[in-house]
Amino acid sequence: MGALFILGDLFDFWFEYKTVVPKGFVRILGKLAQLKDKGIPIYFFVGNHDLWMDDYFEQELGIPVFHEPKVFNINGKSFFIGHGDGLGPGDLGYKRMKKVFTNKFCKWLFRWIHPDIGVKLASYLSVKNKLISGDEDVTYLGEDKEWLVIYSKAKLKARHYDYFVFGHRHLPMILEIGNNSKYINLGDWINYFTYLRFTTDIELMEYKKEIQEKLPN
C-alpha cells in the first residue's frame, strides 16, 4: 500500500482556533479522513500559508503534522522532504516575517480577533502575497540562483540523499544536482496541476492530463 505526502499550502490560510474550523474545507477534510480510514498513511508538512497549523489534523484525522523537513526511506531510497519555505540563502524578508508569525505571543494576539475578521484579513494578505510573487514563482531562476537547489547541494556535503522533494516554489521541476541525487519541486494545483509519483522511479504527473486521457473520444 502506498502513502500520501502533502507538502503544505493545502489551504490559502489556516489558523487553529480552539473551537472554530475555517469554513469551506469540509470536502477535503472528509476525503483525507476517508483515505486514512482505508489505512493509507498520510503525512502533512506545514507550508507558509498554513504555518499556524497545530494538532487538529493529528487529533481529528490521525495525520501527523511536520513543521520542519524530515527524512524518509521509501523502497530503499532516501527522501529529504519538506515544504521549503525559509530554507537556503536569501529571502530574508520572509524569514523575519515567519519569526513574527510563529511567535507564540503573536499567535495569542491573533486568536483574540474574531474569526470572521481574522480569516478575511489573512485571506486577503494571502492573495496579495501571491500577486506580488507571481512572476518569480513561474520563472526558473537558474540552478545557481534557485535557493532550494543551493540548500539541497549544501545538505549533500554532509550526507547523501537520493531525492530532495519540496513544494513552495510552485514551479514543477526535476534536476540532477550531482552525487546521484535529484531535486524535485512538485509545482502546484493552480497553474500546473502536478504531483509526484514514486514506485521504482520518480515521475511528475499532470492531474488534468490524466483526466483528459480517461474521457471517452
Side-chain angles (χ1 to χ4, degrees):
M1 181 178 292
L4 174 64
F5 291 80
I6 302 173
L7 269 55
D9 289 354
L10 181 63
F11 312 101
D12 270 336
F13 167 72
W14 179 276
F15 185 85
E16 292 191 10
Y17 296 93
K18 289 187 179 297
T19 56
V20 175
V21 178
K23 181 181 179 180
F25 306 129
V26 173
R27 290 185 180 278
I28 183 64
L29 295 176
K31 178 55 69 174
L32 290 176
Q34 183 184 50
L35 293 174
K36 194 68 173 62
D37 289 345
K38 289 182 177 180
I40 298 174
I42 302 175
Y43 305 93
F44 191 98
F45 287 81
V46 169
N48 50 297
H49 286 270
D50 36 37
L51 54 82
W52 276 341
M53 183 166 285
D54 232 338
D55 58 2
Y56 179 85
F57 267 40
E58 295 188 52
Q59 291 187 355
E60 297 294 327
L61 304 173
I63 296 174
V65 173
F66 303 102
H67 292 261
E68 300 292 338
K70 185 175 174 61
V71 178
F72 291 82
N73 188 289
I74 306 172
N75 291 350
K77 300 292 185 180
S78 56
F79 284 75
F80 187 95
I81 300 175
H83 179 67
D85 61 315
L87 302 180
D91 208 10
L92 298 180
Y94 170 72
K95 289 176 181 177
R96 288 191 290 267
M97 182 180 68
K98 185 176 181 179
K99 286 184 178 180
V100 174
F101 283 175
T102 55
N103 180 273
K104 290 184 178 180
F105 179 67
C106 293
K107 289 170 66 176
W108 179 83
L109 287 176
F110 189 87
R111 193 180 299 278
W112 281 96
I113 302 175
H114 190 282
D116 284 349
I117 299 173
V119 173
K120 187 174 182 179
L121 173 63
S123 297
Y124 166 77
L125 293 174
S126 173
V127 172
K128 187 174 182 180
N129 177 66
K130 283 188 213 172
L131 294 175
I132 292 173
S133 62
D135 291 341
E136 182 176 312
D137 281 344
V138 297
T139 304
Y140 176 56
L141 303 176
E143 194 168 326
D144 58 337
K145 293 183 179 180
E146 287 283 346
W147 39 272
L148 280 173
V149 174
I150 297 171
Y151 172 83
S152 300
K153 288 182 176 181
K155 296 294 290 185
L156 280 176
K157 293 179 180 178
R159 175 182 167 183
H160 174 74
Y161 301 96
D162 294 296
Y163 304 107
F164 292 86
V165 185
F166 297 105
H168 188 60
R169 185 65 178 81
H170 296 281
L171 190 64
M173 62 181 96
I174 299 178
L175 300 174
E176 298 275 357
I177 57 174
N179 197 24
N180 293 319
S181 183
K182 291 182 180 180
Y183 164 85
I184 302 111
N185 196 279
L186 302 181
D188 64 23
W189 282 56
I190 300 173
N191 297 306
Y192 297 102
F193 299 92
T194 48
Y195 66 95
L196 183 71
R197 182 173 68 184
F198 174 72
T199 50
T200 57
D201 201 359
I202 57 169
E203 185 179 7
L204 273 175
M205 310 293 294
E206 296 180 38
Y207 177 66
K208 281 200 166 184
K209 183 178 179 180
E210 290 180 13
I211 293 177
Q212 290 297 324
E213 290 175 348
K214 291 179 181 179
L215 291 177
N217 294 325

